[in-house]
Amino acid sequence: MAFISKHENLYDAIMRDSSFEIQAPCGGNHRCGKCKIRVMQGNLPIHDAERRHLSEEELLLGVRLACAHPDCEDDCVCEPYREHVSYTICSIHEETFESVKEEGFAVALDIGTTTIAAVLIDLYEGKILREKTFLNPQSRYGADVITRIAQTAKIGIEPLQSILVKKIEKELASFDGYAWKRMCVCGNPTMMHLFAGVDPSSIGQAPYRCTLDTYKELPGQQLFPNWKHRFVIQLLPPISAYVGSDVVMGLYSTQIMKQDKTKALIDLGTNGEMALYHDHRLYVTSAACGPAFEGGNMSCGSGAVSGALCRSGYDEKWHYETLEQAPVCGICGSGYLSIFHQALDNGLLEPDGYLAKELFFHPKAVVNQKDVREFQLAKASVIAAFLCMCRHASISVSAIEELYIAGGFGKYARPQDLLALGILPDKLSGRLHVLGNSALRGTCQYAIHQDIESIEDIRNRSECLLLAGDELFTQLFMEHMMLEICNEN
Amino acid sequence: MNELMEEIKTLMPKGKMNEVNALVERALKEGVPAQTILQEGLLQAMDIIAKKWADGTAFIPEVLITARCMNAAIPLLEPYLLEEKEAERPVVVIGTVQGDLHDIGKNLCALMLKAKNFKVIDVGVDVGADKFVEAVREYQPMVVCLSSLLTTSMGNFKVVIDALQEAGLRDRVKVAVGGAPITPAFADEVGADIYTEDAVALADTLLQYC
Ligand code: B12
């Protein structure tokens, strides 16, 4: 609950209270309409942005957008307004790892922009004892890394760091009593900087550089003074500002460089990181596709939460399924893939992206023309980056023997949808492997084996492709904006 | 002559660059004024596609394909157009602000402006305030267009606008801003004169200032 006085900036006041749960994907920029709060006392008039973004029902309930009241019209009391409850998690719980029979415990932590996953490992047995997945509390400062970096320029690093560290401390309470020796941490570079309390601003502006760009250890007490046992925090190193240690650890877990095969790995999250291993060299890049595949930036988009429309079918009329069969609350990434695929096959959507009529499933699940356009941008950037990478390595697509799909979203996406929409080349059909959270898996393996040489080897052999200013990328980006099978050889 | 123009207009959205060029050359040979070919052929084709974009039936690739044909054909006309009063074409300076390298949206804006017969000076990407000031001083444009796709770099709009003020040029030039994260409210906040959501609307808006 928060008390705001008349003439205060409502958004700023709420942001100052770190215990107030709120999301602000666009960082309070009046764009996304997601920073919803409920006014319990006080009278706030309804602004245009609120009419656009909120339903009748919500307006009646007293829901408002925090960012719409820079000069608060009344003294008021607000409470968090939560729509999304449980996130389905991407689990690796069942797995065991080869161990080196070292006594003790370790924690592996993957700090994602949206979700954070942590496991407690018994080093001797190579077994996972506990697992925890939770939302990154920094969502209140923006959905993507750039918006969060922009926030640090305004309010400093400390609020973003402390909210993150406190949340981790709280969620890991169930690991208490195991006195782990080390905590191995991976994540995208921005998350790593914010976790360690290092200024991330150099990542947000050309020429996009990391300050924290090597392997680093910190005493546990430095970040977590409340945990009394001694442990060391191991911060895993990135390849570049947009290819982070999460990708490095994913590559490590697949042992991509151990065999002499041509293989690739792709993460369909917001940054669209990808890597290609060929002839002893590793090419990496990031497609900056945005969060469309995860349901971000879409009018009815939602994360993979219970109630999200996740699959559809069409025979004269639409059928659909939601996660955990709960009442519809939105559409998640795999839902969009499935809908677009079906709509294309049934002529409701043109390959050039033209949507004659909105696709209606439910008042909370509608697909409009703008959603299709957003999706086309994301799709085109992924396939263009992927083909660029192949050209750069001078190989044809069909030379790739295996393509690993990493990341939370990849877990739910169906390969046939990815191929039919041309997000990945059709030639790779039958060679796709869905990995789930490979970053966390790799971090667990590292926690056990502590073989920093393998990690450094991955980094040393990698070559980061810069797509900005690359004519070929721009050309491919245009050519692949169509929603159709990609027949590249 | 009309058939030639009609044919140009059907072939351009299909990206038939060579055919379009051949038609343009034929029209010139047949004595059609360059200005007519430009206005009633090339620019009209762009206009049609721009309308389709505005009503949602066309998207970026269609616009670019058409624009690419236009760009390829314009050099054929230029020797004849030069005689006309080049000096009277309104000038626009456009660039992506410092910290950002995205240029696809900015290039599309430049193309749509060219299609409306503006003279466009593109200063590139990752452009600092001093370079914008210099360009404004040198080319004396009617409008300077600033693009930013990154939340981290959009603050640089203000830096450019302040620099123009400092150089005493702010009164002589309109400032337009845009890019995916930009809102009308933000454009106001930094003191820009013009904001539009897309390239077509930008070209239409700037025409009103001529
Ligand atoms: C293609 C793309 C790239 C390409 C850029 C290629 C190039 N030559 O420009 C590559 C892969 C290199 C790239 C890199 C990066 N990108 Co990028 N990219 C995109 C993507 C997918 C599409 C952008 C695009 O070209 N759209 C098509 C054009 C036609 O549209 P537009 O640019 O919006 O322009 C239109 C309007 O905005 C307007 N407009 C544009 N300028 C102006 C100016 C004026 C005056 C006016 C009036 C109007 C106007 O008119 C245009 C046409 O109608 C977006 C995602 C998205 N959905 O937007 C991310 C996105 C912009 N990128 C992003 C990021 C973070 C990056 C990186 C910094 C990091 C990364 N993850 O790799 C790097 C940095 C390198 C760099 N470019 O600076 C983020 C920005 C997030 C934020 N909050 O700021 C986005 C939104 C994706 C995301 N959500 O993460 N990217």
Side-chain angles (χ1 to χ4, degrees), chain A residues 254 264-269 402-415 418-419 423-424 428 431-438 441:
Chain A
T254 60
L265 177 141
I266 185 164
D267 181 333
L268 294 168
E402 279 169 83
L403 172 59
Y404 299 112
I405 301 177
F409 161 72
K411 182 105 184 166
Y412 302 106
R414 287 190 310 175
L418 293 170
L419 297 173
I423 297 169
L424 299 173
L428 297 181
R431 301 182 207 174
L432 305 184
H433 300 273
V434 175
L435 295 180
N437 194 342
S438 55
R441 190 177 298 127

PDB file of all heavy atoms in Angstrom, chain A residues 254 264-269 402-415 418-419 423-424 428 431-438 441:
ATOM      1  N   THR A 254      26.116 -27.581 -23.740  1.00  0.00           N
ATOM      2  CA  THR A 254      25.904 -28.438 -24.911  1.00  0.00           C
ATOM      3  C   THR A 254      27.206 -29.060 -25.393  1.00  0.00           C
ATOM      4  O   THR A 254      27.191 -29.885 -26.291  1.00  0.00           O
ATOM      5  CB  THR A 254      25.341 -27.637 -26.104  1.00  0.00           C
ATOM      6  OG1 THR A 254      26.294 -26.619 -26.416  1.00  0.00           O
ATOM      7  CG2 THR A 254      24.009 -27.011 -25.799  1.00  0.00           C
ATOM      8  N   ALA A 264      24.602 -25.128 -34.091  1.00  0.00           N
ATOM      9  CA  ALA A 264      24.206 -23.763 -33.732  1.00  0.00           C
ATOM     10  C   ALA A 264      23.299 -23.781 -32.516  1.00  0.00           C
ATOM     11  O   ALA A 264      22.701 -24.808 -32.188  1.00  0.00           O
ATOM     12  CB  ALA A 264      23.513 -23.088 -34.904  1.00  0.00           C
ATOM     13  N   LEU A 265      23.245 -22.638 -31.845  1.00  0.00           N
ATOM     14  CA  LEU A 265      22.378 -22.486 -30.689  1.00  0.00           C
ATOM     15  C   LEU A 265      21.669 -21.137 -30.818  1.00  0.00           C
ATOM     16  O   LEU A 265      22.262 -20.158 -31.254  1.00  0.00           O
ATOM     17  CB  LEU A 265      23.214 -22.528 -29.417  1.00  0.00           C
ATOM     18  CG  LEU A 265      22.487 -22.312 -28.075  1.00  0.00           C
ATOM     19  CD1 LEU A 265      23.063 -23.252 -27.021  1.00  0.00           C
ATOM     20  CD2 LEU A 265      22.608 -20.879 -27.594  1.00  0.00           C
ATOM     21  N   ILE A 266      20.393 -21.122 -30.483  1.00  0.00           N
ATOM     22  CA  ILE A 266      19.658 -19.865 -30.583  1.00  0.00           C
ATOM     23  C   ILE A 266      18.739 -19.715 -29.387  1.00  0.00           C
ATOM     24  O   ILE A 266      18.150 -20.676 -28.917  1.00  0.00           O
ATOM     25  CB  ILE A 266      18.895 -19.811 -31.925  1.00  0.00           C
ATOM     26  CG1 ILE A 266      18.215 -18.474 -32.140  1.00  0.00           C
ATOM     27  CG2 ILE A 266      17.874 -20.920 -32.034  1.00  0.00           C
ATOM     28  CD1 ILE A 266      17.792 -18.272 -33.589  1.00  0.00           C
ATOM     29  N   ASP A 267      18.669 -18.495 -28.866  1.00  0.00           N
ATOM     30  CA  ASP A 267      17.789 -18.201 -27.744  1.00  0.00           C
ATOM     31  C   ASP A 267      16.760 -17.206 -28.254  1.00  0.00           C
ATOM     32  O   ASP A 267      17.119 -16.128 -28.726  1.00  0.00           O
ATOM     33  CB  ASP A 267      18.623 -17.591 -26.605  1.00  0.00           C
ATOM     34  CG  ASP A 267      17.785 -17.272 -25.382  1.00  0.00           C
ATOM     35  OD1 ASP A 267      16.568 -17.032 -25.522  1.00  0.00           O
ATOM     36  OD2 ASP A 267      18.345 -17.242 -24.279  1.00  0.00           O
ATOM     37  N   LEU A 268      15.499 -17.552 -28.201  1.00  0.00           N
ATOM     38  CA  LEU A 268      14.481 -16.685 -28.794  1.00  0.00           C
ATOM     39  C   LEU A 268      13.906 -15.668 -27.803  1.00  0.00           C
ATOM     40  O   LEU A 268      12.795 -15.193 -27.963  1.00  0.00           O
ATOM     41  CB  LEU A 268      13.371 -17.532 -29.426  1.00  0.00           C
ATOM     42  CG  LEU A 268      13.834 -18.346 -30.634  1.00  0.00           C
ATOM     43  CD1 LEU A 268      12.793 -19.367 -31.043  1.00  0.00           C
ATOM     44  CD2 LEU A 268      14.166 -17.438 -31.801  1.00  0.00           C
ATOM     45  N   GLY A 269      14.683 -15.323 -26.782  1.00  0.00           N
ATOM     46  CA  GLY A 269      14.257 -14.276 -25.841  1.00  0.00           C
ATOM     47  C   GLY A 269      14.422 -12.889 -26.456  1.00  0.00           C
ATOM     48  O   GLY A 269      14.666 -12.749 -27.652  1.00  0.00           O
ATOM     49  N   GLU A 402      23.074 -29.760 -36.129  1.00  0.00           N
ATOM     50  CA  GLU A 402      22.118 -29.656 -35.042  1.00  0.00           C
ATOM     51  C   GLU A 402      21.896 -28.202 -34.666  1.00  0.00           C
ATOM     52  O   GLU A 402      22.846 -27.425 -34.650  1.00  0.00           O
ATOM     53  CB  GLU A 402      22.615 -30.432 -33.821  1.00  0.00           C
ATOM     54  CG  GLU A 402      22.335 -31.919 -33.944  1.00  0.00           C
ATOM     55  CD  GLU A 402      23.062 -32.722 -32.877  1.00  0.00           C
ATOM     56  OE1 GLU A 402      22.513 -32.798 -31.776  1.00  0.00           O
ATOM     57  OE2 GLU A 402      24.166 -33.210 -33.148  1.00  0.00           O
ATOM     58  N   LEU A 403      20.651 -27.872 -34.370  1.00  0.00           N
ATOM     59  CA  LEU A 403      20.345 -26.521 -33.894  1.00  0.00           C
ATOM     60  C   LEU A 403      19.657 -26.634 -32.536  1.00  0.00           C
ATOM     61  O   LEU A 403      18.587 -27.222 -32.420  1.00  0.00           O
ATOM     62  CB  LEU A 403      19.439 -25.788 -34.894  1.00  0.00           C
ATOM     63  CG  LEU A 403      18.883 -24.433 -34.427  1.00  0.00           C
ATOM     64  CD1 LEU A 403      20.004 -23.449 -34.097  1.00  0.00           C
ATOM     65  CD2 LEU A 403      17.984 -23.816 -35.490  1.00  0.00           C
ATOM     66  N   TYR A 404      20.310 -26.090 -31.523  1.00  0.00           N
ATOM     67  CA  TYR A 404      19.749 -26.116 -30.176  1.00  0.00           C
ATOM     68  C   TYR A 404      18.907 -24.877 -29.933  1.00  0.00           C
ATOM     69  O   TYR A 404      19.315 -23.768 -30.269  1.00  0.00           O
ATOM     70  CB  TYR A 404      20.866 -26.135 -29.144  1.00  0.00           C
ATOM     71  CG  TYR A 404      21.762 -27.329 -29.235  1.00  0.00           C
ATOM     72  CD1 TYR A 404      23.089 -27.180 -29.634  1.00  0.00           C
ATOM     73  CD2 TYR A 404      21.297 -28.607 -28.926  1.00  0.00           C
ATOM     74  CE1 TYR A 404      23.928 -28.285 -29.721  1.00  0.00           C
ATOM     75  CE2 TYR A 404      22.124 -29.705 -29.003  1.00  0.00           C
ATOM     76  CZ  TYR A 404      23.434 -29.538 -29.401  1.00  0.00           C
ATOM     77  OH  TYR A 404      24.259 -30.620 -29.484  1.00  0.00           O
ATOM     78  N   ILE A 405      17.746 -25.083 -29.351  1.00  0.00           N
ATOM     79  CA  ILE A 405      16.903 -23.941 -29.002  1.00  0.00           C
ATOM     80  C   ILE A 405      16.917 -23.783 -27.487  1.00  0.00           C
ATOM     81  O   ILE A 405      16.475 -24.662 -26.755  1.00  0.00           O
ATOM     82  CB  ILE A 405      15.471 -24.137 -29.515  1.00  0.00           C
ATOM     83  CG1 ILE A 405      15.532 -24.308 -31.039  1.00  0.00           C
ATOM     84  CG2 ILE A 405      14.592 -22.954 -29.143  1.00  0.00           C
ATOM     85  CD1 ILE A 405      14.213 -24.576 -31.674  1.00  0.00           C
ATOM     86  N   ALA A 406      17.483 -22.662 -27.041  1.00  0.00           N
ATOM     87  CA  ALA A 406      17.657 -22.441 -25.606  1.00  0.00           C
ATOM     88  C   ALA A 406      16.614 -21.459 -25.095  1.00  0.00           C
ATOM     89  O   ALA A 406      15.887 -20.857 -25.880  1.00  0.00           O
ATOM     90  CB  ALA A 406      19.060 -21.893 -25.349  1.00  0.00           C
ATOM     91  N   GLY A 407      16.558 -21.301 -23.803  1.00  0.00           N
ATOM     92  CA  GLY A 407      15.718 -20.268 -23.206  1.00  0.00           C
ATOM     93  C   GLY A 407      14.326 -20.749 -22.881  1.00  0.00           C
ATOM     94  O   GLY A 407      13.843 -21.744 -23.410  1.00  0.00           O
ATOM     95  N   GLY A 408      13.683 -20.013 -21.978  1.00  0.00           N
ATOM     96  CA  GLY A 408      12.367 -20.397 -21.482  1.00  0.00           C
ATOM     97  C   GLY A 408      11.329 -20.521 -22.577  1.00  0.00           C
ATOM     98  O   GLY A 408      10.590 -21.489 -22.646  1.00  0.00           O
ATOM     99  N   PHE A 409      11.292 -19.550 -23.481  1.00  0.00           N
ATOM    100  CA  PHE A 409      10.255 -19.562 -24.504  1.00  0.00           C
ATOM    101  C   PHE A 409      10.389 -20.781 -25.417  1.00  0.00           C
ATOM    102  O   PHE A 409       9.411 -21.441 -25.754  1.00  0.00           O
ATOM    103  CB  PHE A 409      10.313 -18.286 -25.342  1.00  0.00           C
ATOM    104  CG  PHE A 409       9.600 -18.414 -26.657  1.00  0.00           C
ATOM    105  CD1 PHE A 409       8.221 -18.450 -26.699  1.00  0.00           C
ATOM    106  CD2 PHE A 409      10.317 -18.539 -27.833  1.00  0.00           C
ATOM    107  CE1 PHE A 409       7.560 -18.587 -27.916  1.00  0.00           C
ATOM    108  CE2 PHE A 409       9.661 -18.687 -29.042  1.00  0.00           C
ATOM    109  CZ  PHE A 409       8.287 -18.715 -29.083  1.00  0.00           C
ATOM    110  N   GLY A 410      11.638 -21.076 -25.790  1.00  0.00           N
ATOM    111  CA  GLY A 410      11.887 -22.182 -26.696  1.00  0.00           C
ATOM    112  C   GLY A 410      11.273 -23.478 -26.223  1.00  0.00           C
ATOM    113  O   GLY A 410      10.857 -24.333 -27.004  1.00  0.00           O
ATOM    114  N   LYS A 411      11.177 -23.591 -24.914  1.00  0.00           N
ATOM    115  CA  LYS A 411      10.662 -24.811 -24.318  1.00  0.00           C
ATOM    116  C   LYS A 411       9.212 -25.081 -24.729  1.00  0.00           C
ATOM    117  O   LYS A 411       8.792 -26.213 -24.872  1.00  0.00           O
ATOM    118  CB  LYS A 411      10.741 -24.657 -22.797  1.00  0.00           C
ATOM    119  CG  LYS A 411      10.292 -25.853 -22.028  1.00  0.00           C
ATOM    120  CD  LYS A 411      11.492 -26.571 -21.461  1.00  0.00           C
ATOM    121  CE  LYS A 411      11.049 -27.832 -20.760  1.00  0.00           C
ATOM    122  NZ  LYS A 411      12.149 -28.715 -20.475  1.00  0.00           N
ATOM    123  N   TYR A 412       8.434 -24.022 -24.890  1.00  0.00           N
ATOM    124  CA  TYR A 412       7.012 -24.211 -25.193  1.00  0.00           C
ATOM    125  C   TYR A 412       6.689 -24.097 -26.677  1.00  0.00           C
ATOM    126  O   TYR A 412       5.637 -24.520 -27.122  1.00  0.00           O
ATOM    127  CB  TYR A 412       6.180 -23.176 -24.423  1.00  0.00           C
ATOM    128  CG  TYR A 412       6.407 -23.267 -22.935  1.00  0.00           C
ATOM    129  CD1 TYR A 412       7.163 -22.325 -22.265  1.00  0.00           C
ATOM    130  CD2 TYR A 412       5.882 -24.351 -22.223  1.00  0.00           C
ATOM    131  CE1 TYR A 412       7.395 -22.441 -20.909  1.00  0.00           C
ATOM    132  CE2 TYR A 412       6.117 -24.466 -20.867  1.00  0.00           C
ATOM    133  CZ  TYR A 412       6.876 -23.504 -20.215  1.00  0.00           C
ATOM    134  OH  TYR A 412       7.101 -23.621 -18.881  1.00  0.00           O
ATOM    135  N   ALA A 413       7.578 -23.478 -27.426  1.00  0.00           N
ATOM    136  CA  ALA A 413       7.311 -23.277 -28.843  1.00  0.00           C
ATOM    137  C   ALA A 413       7.371 -24.610 -29.567  1.00  0.00           C
ATOM    138  O   ALA A 413       8.219 -25.441 -29.269  1.00  0.00           O
ATOM    139  CB  ALA A 413       8.353 -22.332 -29.419  1.00  0.00           C
ATOM    140  N   ARG A 414       6.466 -24.796 -30.521  1.00  0.00           N
ATOM    141  CA  ARG A 414       6.529 -26.040 -31.277  1.00  0.00           C
ATOM    142  C   ARG A 414       7.359 -25.837 -32.534  1.00  0.00           C
ATOM    143  O   ARG A 414       7.152 -24.871 -33.272  1.00  0.00           O
ATOM    144  CB  ARG A 414       5.126 -26.501 -31.642  1.00  0.00           C
ATOM    145  CG  ARG A 414       4.378 -27.035 -30.425  1.00  0.00           C
ATOM    146  CD  ARG A 414       3.110 -27.698 -30.830  1.00  0.00           C
ATOM    147  NE  ARG A 414       2.332 -26.831 -31.728  1.00  0.00           N
ATOM    148  CZ  ARG A 414       1.213 -27.214 -32.313  1.00  0.00           C
ATOM    149  NH1 ARG A 414       0.767 -28.445 -32.132  1.00  0.00           N
ATOM    150  NH2 ARG A 414       0.547 -26.379 -33.075  1.00  0.00           N
ATOM    151  N   PRO A 415       8.315 -26.740 -32.783  1.00  0.00           N
ATOM    152  CA  PRO A 415       9.180 -26.594 -33.949  1.00  0.00           C
ATOM    153  C   PRO A 415       8.396 -26.384 -35.242  1.00  0.00           C
ATOM    154  O   PRO A 415       8.762 -25.552 -36.059  1.00  0.00           O
ATOM    155  CB  PRO A 415       9.956 -27.909 -33.982  1.00  0.00           C
ATOM    156  CG  PRO A 415      10.011 -28.332 -32.558  1.00  0.00           C
ATOM    157  CD  PRO A 415       8.721 -27.884 -31.949  1.00  0.00           C
ATOM    158  N   LEU A 418       7.597 -22.763 -35.610  1.00  0.00           N
ATOM    159  CA  LEU A 418       8.793 -21.961 -35.874  1.00  0.00           C
ATOM    160  C   LEU A 418       9.205 -22.071 -37.344  1.00  0.00           C
ATOM    161  O   LEU A 418       9.621 -21.092 -37.960  1.00  0.00           O
ATOM    162  CB  LEU A 418       9.958 -22.423 -34.989  1.00  0.00           C
ATOM    163  CG  LEU A 418       9.805 -22.177 -33.483  1.00  0.00           C
ATOM    164  CD1 LEU A 418      10.901 -22.886 -32.710  1.00  0.00           C
ATOM    165  CD2 LEU A 418       9.840 -20.678 -33.199  1.00  0.00           C
ATOM    166  N   LEU A 419       9.066 -23.272 -37.894  1.00  0.00           N
ATOM    167  CA  LEU A 419       9.482 -23.482 -39.280  1.00  0.00           C
ATOM    168  C   LEU A 419       8.453 -22.908 -40.255  1.00  0.00           C
ATOM    169  O   LEU A 419       8.812 -22.261 -41.233  1.00  0.00           O
ATOM    170  CB  LEU A 419       9.688 -24.975 -39.552  1.00  0.00           C
ATOM    171  CG  LEU A 419      10.809 -25.634 -38.730  1.00  0.00           C
ATOM    172  CD1 LEU A 419      10.816 -27.134 -38.936  1.00  0.00           C
ATOM    173  CD2 LEU A 419      12.164 -25.051 -39.082  1.00  0.00           C
ATOM    174  N   ILE A 423      10.718 -18.530 -38.982  1.00  0.00           N
ATOM    175  CA  ILE A 423      11.594 -17.975 -37.938  1.00  0.00           C
ATOM    176  C   ILE A 423      12.941 -18.693 -37.989  1.00  0.00           C
ATOM    177  O   ILE A 423      13.995 -18.117 -37.744  1.00  0.00           O
ATOM    178  CB  ILE A 423      10.930 -18.116 -36.551  1.00  0.00           C
ATOM    179  CG1 ILE A 423       9.642 -17.288 -36.521  1.00  0.00           C
ATOM    180  CG2 ILE A 423      11.880 -17.681 -35.434  1.00  0.00           C
ATOM    181  CD1 ILE A 423       8.762 -17.539 -35.328  1.00  0.00           C
ATOM    182  N   LEU A 424      12.879 -19.982 -38.351  1.00  0.00           N
ATOM    183  CA  LEU A 424      14.089 -20.774 -38.553  1.00  0.00           C
ATOM    184  C   LEU A 424      13.996 -21.422 -39.935  1.00  0.00           C
ATOM    185  O   LEU A 424      12.900 -21.671 -40.434  1.00  0.00           O
ATOM    186  CB  LEU A 424      14.194 -21.854 -37.467  1.00  0.00           C
ATOM    187  CG  LEU A 424      14.289 -21.336 -36.023  1.00  0.00           C
ATOM    188  CD1 LEU A 424      14.214 -22.477 -35.040  1.00  0.00           C
ATOM    189  CD2 LEU A 424      15.573 -20.542 -35.836  1.00  0.00           C
ATOM    190  N   LEU A 428      16.344 -27.104 -41.556  1.00  0.00           N
ATOM    191  CA  LEU A 428      16.788 -27.649 -40.268  1.00  0.00           C
ATOM    192  C   LEU A 428      15.704 -28.473 -39.588  1.00  0.00           C
ATOM    193  O   LEU A 428      15.880 -28.931 -38.457  1.00  0.00           O
ATOM    194  CB  LEU A 428      17.266 -26.518 -39.360  1.00  0.00           C
ATOM    195  CG  LEU A 428      18.479 -25.765 -39.917  1.00  0.00           C
ATOM    196  CD1 LEU A 428      18.914 -24.672 -38.970  1.00  0.00           C
ATOM    197  CD2 LEU A 428      19.628 -26.723 -40.181  1.00  0.00           C
ATOM    198  N   ARG A 431      16.322 -31.335 -37.196  1.00  0.00           N
ATOM    199  CA  ARG A 431      17.625 -31.161 -36.527  1.00  0.00           C
ATOM    200  C   ARG A 431      17.521 -30.212 -35.338  1.00  0.00           C
ATOM    201  O   ARG A 431      18.514 -29.708 -34.840  1.00  0.00           O
ATOM    202  CB  ARG A 431      18.645 -30.592 -37.516  1.00  0.00           C
ATOM    203  CG  ARG A 431      18.827 -31.485 -38.723  1.00  0.00           C
ATOM    204  CD  ARG A 431      19.874 -30.907 -39.642  1.00  0.00           C
ATOM    205  NE  ARG A 431      19.618 -31.347 -41.020  1.00  0.00           N
ATOM    206  CZ  ARG A 431      20.285 -30.916 -42.074  1.00  0.00           C
ATOM    207  NH1 ARG A 431      21.267 -30.050 -41.921  1.00  0.00           N
ATOM    208  NH2 ARG A 431      19.995 -31.353 -43.264  1.00  0.00           N
ATOM    209  N   LEU A 432      16.302 -29.914 -34.934  1.00  0.00           N
ATOM    210  CA  LEU A 432      16.106 -28.991 -33.816  1.00  0.00           C
ATOM    211  C   LEU A 432      16.070 -29.753 -32.490  1.00  0.00           C
ATOM    212  O   LEU A 432      15.450 -30.808 -32.401  1.00  0.00           O
ATOM    213  CB  LEU A 432      14.776 -28.236 -33.969  1.00  0.00           C
ATOM    214  CG  LEU A 432      14.534 -27.460 -35.258  1.00  0.00           C
ATOM    215  CD1 LEU A 432      13.215 -26.708 -35.174  1.00  0.00           C
ATOM    216  CD2 LEU A 432      15.667 -26.483 -35.507  1.00  0.00           C
ATOM    217  N   HIS A 433      16.727 -29.186 -31.496  1.00  0.00           N
ATOM    218  CA  HIS A 433      16.689 -29.781 -30.164  1.00  0.00           C
ATOM    219  C   HIS A 433      16.322 -28.722 -29.153  1.00  0.00           C
ATOM    220  O   HIS A 433      17.011 -27.711 -29.044  1.00  0.00           O
ATOM    221  CB  HIS A 433      18.060 -30.344 -29.781  1.00  0.00           C
ATOM    222  CG  HIS A 433      18.529 -31.394 -30.721  1.00  0.00           C
ATOM    223  ND1 HIS A 433      18.210 -32.715 -30.574  1.00  0.00           N
ATOM    224  CD2 HIS A 433      19.248 -31.285 -31.847  1.00  0.00           C
ATOM    225  CE1 HIS A 433      18.730 -33.395 -31.567  1.00  0.00           C
ATOM    226  NE2 HIS A 433      19.369 -32.557 -32.365  1.00  0.00           N
ATOM    227  N   VAL A 434      15.238 -28.949 -28.447  1.00  0.00           N
ATOM    228  CA  VAL A 434      14.809 -27.967 -27.461  1.00  0.00           C
ATOM    229  C   VAL A 434      15.512 -28.247 -26.141  1.00  0.00           C
ATOM    230  O   VAL A 434      15.465 -29.358 -25.626  1.00  0.00           O
ATOM    231  CB  VAL A 434      13.280 -28.023 -27.285  1.00  0.00           C
ATOM    232  CG1 VAL A 434      12.839 -27.104 -26.181  1.00  0.00           C
ATOM    233  CG2 VAL A 434      12.593 -27.657 -28.596  1.00  0.00           C
ATOM    234  N   LEU A 435      16.208 -27.244 -25.624  1.00  0.00           N
ATOM    235  CA  LEU A 435      17.043 -27.468 -24.443  1.00  0.00           C
ATOM    236  C   LEU A 435      16.412 -27.021 -23.131  1.00  0.00           C
ATOM    237  O   LEU A 435      16.773 -27.495 -22.076  1.00  0.00           O
ATOM    238  CB  LEU A 435      18.359 -26.697 -24.575  1.00  0.00           C
ATOM    239  CG  LEU A 435      19.318 -27.103 -25.685  1.00  0.00           C
ATOM    240  CD1 LEU A 435      20.541 -26.211 -25.611  1.00  0.00           C
ATOM    241  CD2 LEU A 435      19.710 -28.556 -25.541  1.00  0.00           C
ATOM    242  N   GLY A 436      15.490 -26.054 -23.178  1.00  0.00           N
ATOM    243  CA  GLY A 436      15.010 -25.475 -21.926  1.00  0.00           C
ATOM    244  C   GLY A 436      16.082 -24.563 -21.361  1.00  0.00           C
ATOM    245  O   GLY A 436      16.811 -23.914 -22.111  1.00  0.00           O
ATOM    246  N   ASN A 437      16.202 -24.525 -20.048  1.00  0.00           N
ATOM    247  CA  ASN A 437      17.161 -23.591 -19.452  1.00  0.00           C
ATOM    248  C   ASN A 437      18.584 -24.130 -19.474  1.00  0.00           C
ATOM    249  O   ASN A 437      19.110 -24.619 -18.473  1.00  0.00           O
ATOM    250  CB  ASN A 437      16.733 -23.228 -18.034  1.00  0.00           C
ATOM    251  CG  ASN A 437      17.493 -22.020 -17.534  1.00  0.00           C
ATOM    252  OD1 ASN A 437      18.538 -21.668 -18.100  1.00  0.00           O
ATOM    253  ND2 ASN A 437      16.999 -21.396 -16.504  1.00  0.00           N
ATOM    254  N   SER A 438      19.246 -24.027 -20.613  1.00  0.00           N
ATOM    255  CA  SER A 438      20.597 -24.560 -20.739  1.00  0.00           C
ATOM    256  C   SER A 438      21.605 -23.699 -19.988  1.00  0.00           C
ATOM    257  O   SER A 438      22.658 -24.178 -19.593  1.00  0.00           O
ATOM    258  CB  SER A 438      20.981 -24.669 -22.208  1.00  0.00           C
ATOM    259  OG  SER A 438      20.818 -23.427 -22.838  1.00  0.00           O
ATOM    260  N   ARG A 441      21.628 -25.034 -16.530  1.00  0.00           N
ATOM    261  CA  ARG A 441      22.250 -26.359 -16.549  1.00  0.00           C
ATOM    262  C   ARG A 441      23.777 -26.218 -16.639  1.00  0.00           C
ATOM    263  O   ARG A 441      24.515 -26.843 -15.890  1.00  0.00           O
ATOM    264  CB  ARG A 441      21.719 -27.147 -17.737  1.00  0.00           C
ATOM    265  CG  ARG A 441      22.101 -28.602 -17.728  1.00  0.00           C
ATOM    266  CD  ARG A 441      21.472 -29.351 -18.901  1.00  0.00           C
ATOM    267  NE  ARG A 441      20.019 -29.313 -18.843  1.00  0.00           N
ATOM    268  CZ  ARG A 441      19.230 -28.906 -19.848  1.00  0.00           C
ATOM    269  NH1 ARG A 441      19.763 -28.493 -20.978  1.00  0.00           N
ATOM    270  NH2 ARG A 441      17.935 -28.925 -19.724  1.00  0.00           N
TER     271      ARG A 441
END
